[in-house]
Amino acid sequence: MRDRLIYINGRWVDSRHRAGIDVLNPATEGVIGVAAAGSAGDVDGAVRAASAAFPAWSALPVAERANYLRAIGDGLERRRADVAALITSEVGTPLTVSQRIQAGLPVADFRNSADLALEIEWAVEVGNSLVSAEPLGVIGAITPWNYPLHQIAAKVSAALAAGCTIVVKPSELAPLNALLLAEVADEAGLPPGVLNIVPGDRVTGEALVEHELVDAVSFTGSLVTGRRISELAARAPKRVLLELGGKSACILLNDLSADTERQALDDTVKSCLLNSGQTCTALTRLIVPRERVEPVLESVCTLMDRYPAGDPMDPDTKLGPVVSREQYDTVLAHIESAVDDGARLVHGGVERFAHLTHGYYVRPTALLAPDNSVPIAQDEVFGPVLTVLAHDGEPDAVRIANDSVYGLSGAVWGEDRDHAVAVARRIRSGHIDICGGRFNPIAPFGGMKRSGFGRELGRHGIEEYLQTKSLQR
């Protein structure tokens, strides 16, 4: 991998800042690479390259831009095994999951954006006006570590499909996969300056947000960082797209049959433990009828026991480590505080696995919260921790689900699917699964309330990078 290098204007260059950032394998705690710590000067060079490339790229016919996106998608498909192994080393996602999600979704992102760009209504007659959709300009993208290449691909593919150029600042915890994407884009013949990648830390990210030639910022990450980005961008001002996580609720309605309840609990535990709980849409609040609490807790424990922790490269491993020592300490602190606040520890806890002497492994943990007001029911833990809450009927279940500053995802399970849809409509979240409905990579994705604003994926994701112009004739 290209240690300490950045990708600007179609070339690999040394960072102006000599220091590097060690990238650790969270399963072994060993260094697997050294990324550049991009300086403000590096960011300036990347943004100016993107700005210079914008006129020609935005003028390129949509079908030609789509061909580049397909070529990148095909390149990622050819290197799918490399992508999966690299992200497993960076993040700790079990390899079997990485092969399917971490490596599979970026391919779909580029291919879907290529197809959907051709469906955008780029111009429409409105009375005596021609109203056209035009690209925003230069995009600054700041991406997270949990699904690193997917989050980059979702932003890059949509922005490029819209005719924008882009500068990406990947997470310092998982930046190496972004450099692999640059290699693939280069092989696909993407024109210089259209895609630029500058690894780095907070200083790098803030320089990107504040740059005068950046027209819009797309950020996925924490609420705290999202607030900071909003403040910096507001000084211009410039458009900001934010996806800031969640505390997603899964509601079990009172009419569930035994078979449907088993399916619902299996689905919920799988969602909660996916990527060691480091998933923004993870179902981490399970809201169940009060009379079903004890049987549900027993089932949850049985299900969590089916997720063996171990070397994420081992195909039998279903639970890998969390991404870093800091994240490990944060998750354990949440568990300890929850017990202090009166939550009942049902499964897991803060003890290390006896067979794992290295790595940031957290036991799958289930807690019965006394009510929805305690921090463990309100705060995004971003670890393999499920909070169970009792409800006293449907109105109470909806109230609990909505009693959160977040509104990203959720789920509703009921025997009557149409009624479950009606309940879901009353929940203030941008993305809700009904009775096991699966992720749709061409449907709009994004949150409500403090989960952010703006949408990614599908046609809506491309349209976020467009603005309208009216020509009166």
Side-chain angles (χ1 to χ4, degrees):
M1 194 49 66
R2 301 176 185 271
D3 280 4
R4 291 185 172 88
L5 292 181
I6 57 181
Y7 185 73
I8 295 178
N9 205 29
R11 295 184 298 115
W12 294 98
V13 298
D14 291 318
S15 170
R16 301 184 190 187
H17 191 259
R18 292 185 178 180
I21 299 173
D22 288 343
V23 182
L24 302 183
N25 182 325
T28 67
E29 303 180 44
V31 176
I32 59 172
V34 182
S39 67
D42 296 323
V43 170
D44 181 64
V47 173
R48 292 188 183 281
S51 180
F54 174 71
W57 179 254
S58 60
L60 205 63
V62 177
E64 292 188 33
R65 295 202 296 264
N67 286 339
Y68 281 111
L69 297 181
R70 290 192 188 93
I72 296 172
D74 292 345
L76 288 173
E77 180 64 61
R78 287 191 294 271
R79 299 190 65 176
R80 191 162 176 162
D82 295 337
V83 171
L86 177 58
I87 295 179
T88 290
S89 296
E90 288 185 282
V91 179
T93 308
L95 184 61
T96 52
V97 178
S98 284
Q99 290 166 340
R100 178 170 50 91
I101 298 177
Q102 299 281 23
L105 281 180
V107 174
D109 292 331
F110 278 97
R111 290 175 173 171
N112 290 338
S113 290
D115 292 340
L116 293 168
L118 303 177
E119 299 179 8
I120 299 291
E121 195 167 31
W122 294 93
V124 62
E125 299 280 352
V126 179
N128 68 311
S129 299
L130 178 67
V131 180
S132 62
E134 301 197 354
L136 281 171
V138 176
I139 308 301
I142 301 175
T143 57
W145 45 262
N146 57 334
Y147 295 95
L149 191 54
H150 164 56
Q151 295 289 352
I152 293 171
K155 297 179 193 303
V156 170
S157 66
L160 267 55
C164 298
T165 55
I166 192 165
V167 179
V168 178
K169 201 294 285 185
S171 168
E172 58 268 38
L173 294 178
L176 304 182
N177 59 90
L179 304 181
L180 188 151
L181 173 62
E183 291 177 356
V184 170
D186 203 52
E187 292 166 2
L190 191 70
V194 173
L195 169 64
N196 307 272
I197 296 178
V198 184
D201 53 18
R202 176 176 175 172
V203 172
T204 317
E206 293 197 356
L208 181 58
V209 173
E210 291 185 296
H211 200 287
E212 61 181 0
L213 295 180
V214 169
D215 297 289
V217 177
S218 179
F219 170 74
T220 300
S222 71
L223 176 57
V224 171
T225 305
R227 284 175 173 147
R228 174 63 176 166
I229 287 172
S230 294
E231 291 169 359
L232 294 176
R235 296 173 184 174
K238 61 186 69 174
R239 185 182 297 189
V240 177
L241 308 174
L242 300 175
E243 195 269 274
L244 305 177
K247 189 70 174 179
S248 301
C250 176
I251 294 177
L252 306 191
L253 297 176
N254 294 73
D255 64 346
L256 288 186
S257 67
D259 285 344
T260 306
E261 182 180 276
R262 279 193 293 271
Q263 183 183 355
L265 294 178
D266 181 70
D267 193 81
T268 303
V269 170
K270 184 183 299 182
S271 169
C272 179
L273 301 186
L274 178 65
N275 205 23
S276 298
Q278 299 166 128
T279 302
C280 56
T281 59
L283 300 174
T284 54
R285 288 187 298 157
L286 177 60
I287 304 172
V288 305
R290 189 171 298 278
E291 63 273 16
R292 294 295 303 162
V293 165
E294 293 305 323
V296 162
L297 293 176
E298 183 177 345
S299 296
V300 165
C301 291
T302 300
L303 289 166
M304 285 188 167
D305 285 336
R306 297 175 184 172
Y307 286 79
D311 179 359
M313 290 293 187
D314 185 335
D316 292 329
T317 294
K318 290 189 175 180
L319 188 79
V322 295
V323 74
S324 66
R325 167 63 66 178
E326 180 182 6
Q327 190 63 22
Y328 174 81
D329 291 341
T330 297
V331 174
L332 296 193
H334 276 293
I335 296 171
E336 291 175 334
S337 295
V339 174
D340 291 343
D341 290 335
R344 176 176 140 204
L345 181 64
V346 177
H347 189 277
V350 299
E351 295 80 10
R352 287 192 65 92
F353 288 100
H355 67 291
L356 296 170
T357 57
H358 298 284
Y360 311 123
Y361 290 89
V362 178
R363 291 178 178 271
T365 297
L367 297 146
L368 177 64
D371 56 58
N372 197 53
S373 67
V374 293
I376 197 63
Q378 292 289 328
D379 297 340
E380 185 177 39
V381 176
F382 232 55
V385 179
L386 179 66
T387 301
V388 181
L389 296 141
H391 75 75
D392 295 307
E394 181 182 304
D396 191 43
V398 172
R399 178 193 63 78
I400 294 170
N402 284 332
D403 180 22
S404 171
V405 297
Y406 295 107
L408 182 60
S409 189
V412 179
W413 286 82
E415 213 61 40
D416 182 337
R417 192 173 296 262
D418 290 339
H419 181 65
V421 169
V423 172
R425 289 183 178 277
R426 292 155 56 193
I427 299 172
R428 294 189 63 201
S429 287
H431 176 271
I432 302 177
D433 299 331
I434 308 298
C435 302
R438 297 306 175 195
F439 175 70
N440 180 357
I442 61 172
F445 177 82
M448 299 179 181
K449 299 187 283 187
R450 292 199 175 93
S451 285
F453 42 80
R455 293 294 180 263
E456 290 192 313
L457 305 180
R459 178 175 57 80
H460 295 78
I462 297 173
E463 290 173 344
E464 290 286 0
Y465 296 101
L466 298 172
Q467 55 193 341
T468 56
K469 176 187 288 185
S470 297
L471 304 176
Q472 284 59 248
R473 298 177 295 180

